[in-house]
Amino acid sequence: MKKYLIIILTLILNTMSLAFHISPDGFGKRVDEGAMQEYTFKNNTGKTIRYRFKIHPGKDGKSMHEWIEFEPKHMTIKNAESKKLKLFVKSPKGTPVEDYNFYLGVESITLPNALQGTKEGTAAAGSTVGISINIEMIGWVGDLPAQLKLEKYDFYEKNGTLHMNGFVNNKTPQRFVRYMIDIIGNNGNREIFYGGVVSAKDTRDIDIPLPKFKKKSDI
């Protein structure tokens, strides 16, 4: 009998690029009991980077931006250093059970080496505009443990590469789930698929190429 292992997990993703590195890149916590999250910003650009943070309202009328406290408001990171942003959320008593969201706004400028000592939170001549992004963050109110299931999945071969198709079913009431699929073959090969967010009581079709597995016998 062929042996393989498929693991489906909820997770917070990490994002890394040469210019911008925040870990983790999501929130994903229950907020009616109070929730703290630290975000690590790393700088591997060779220059000093200055960040400014803002909290923006969420979407679909389910925003939790007014419940948030965070520090610092500004952050300067020299090359090869890292610093932390701390964020705390607690929903008001009586908030309805469901999921909520907000956006973490991140703006940056890159400072020339000669300007590393300029005042925190200010730009200066010679600065270079960096990123300006809003990262969606989602949390929930109530006792809503994730109920996630991978269903009707199968494997097929296409152009010499194995694929897996099926769908992810989020049976959790009133709560999103962010997930990944981890496939481990009996020969030790491994493929990880980062699937994103599935809304409450919703499904997500998947069709995943598995280049490390050339045929069904590999698993």
Side-chain angles (χ1 to χ4, degrees), residues 7 15 26 159 168 197:
I7 306 171
T15 300
N159 299 327
V168 175
V197 171

Side-chain angles (χ1 to χ4, degrees), residues 99-140:
D99 54 21
Y100 295 86
N101 58 86
F102 69 96
Y103 288 92
L104 174 63
V106 183
E107 298 177 352
S108 75
I109 58 172
T110 301
L111 301 180
N113 291 334
L115 299 175
Q116 290 184 9
T118 56
K119 185 178 178 180
E120 184 80 12
T122 63
S127 300
T128 302
V129 176
I131 62 168
S132 180
I133 62 174
N134 293 323
I135 306 171
E136 185 179 17
M137 305 288 189
I138 309 176
W140 68 91

Side-chain angles (χ1 to χ4, degrees), residues 103-215:
Y103 288 92
L104 174 63
V106 183
E107 298 177 352
S108 75
I109 58 172
T110 301
L111 301 180
N113 291 334
L115 299 175
Q116 290 184 9
T118 56
K119 185 178 178 180
E120 184 80 12
T122 63
S127 300
T128 302
V129 176
I131 62 168
S132 180
I133 62 174
N134 293 323
I135 306 171
E136 185 179 17
M137 305 288 189
I138 309 176
W140 68 91
V141 170
D143 185 14
L144 299 173
Q147 301 175 37
L148 200 64
K149 189 174 182 180
L150 180 63
E151 297 184 341
K152 295 184 178 179
Y153 61 88
D154 198 4
F155 298 91
Y156 69 95
E157 297 175 25
K158 181 179 179 181
N159 299 327
T161 299
L162 194 66
H163 291 243
M164 185 182 76
N165 60 12
F167 67 91
V168 175
N169 189 350
N170 179 14
K171 299 182 178 182
T172 316
Q174 301 170 288
R175 186 200 141 182
F176 79 98
V177 174
R178 174 172 276 181
Y179 73 97
M180 63 175 272
I181 297 174
D182 190 355
I183 303 171
I184 305 172
N186 60 0
N187 58 2
N189 285 342
R190 185 173 190 170
E191 291 280 7
I192 298 177
F193 172 71
Y194 296 100
V197 171
V198 185
S199 300
K201 296 183 179 179
D202 200 2
T203 61
R204 177 71 58 84
D205 292 332
I206 58 171
D207 194 327
I208 310 169
L210 307 171
K212 294 181 181 179
F213 302 96
K214 301 301 181 183
K215 50 190 176 179

Side-chain angles (χ1 to χ4, degrees), residues 34-54:
M36 174 73 74
Q37 179 65 60
E38 289 188 346
Y39 298 93
T40 300
F41 289 79
K42 294 182 180 180
N43 180 8
N44 299 313
T45 65
K47 300 287 185 178
T48 297
I49 296 180
R50 181 163 293 151
Y51 288 107
R52 180 172 64 177
F53 305 105
K54 293 183 178 180

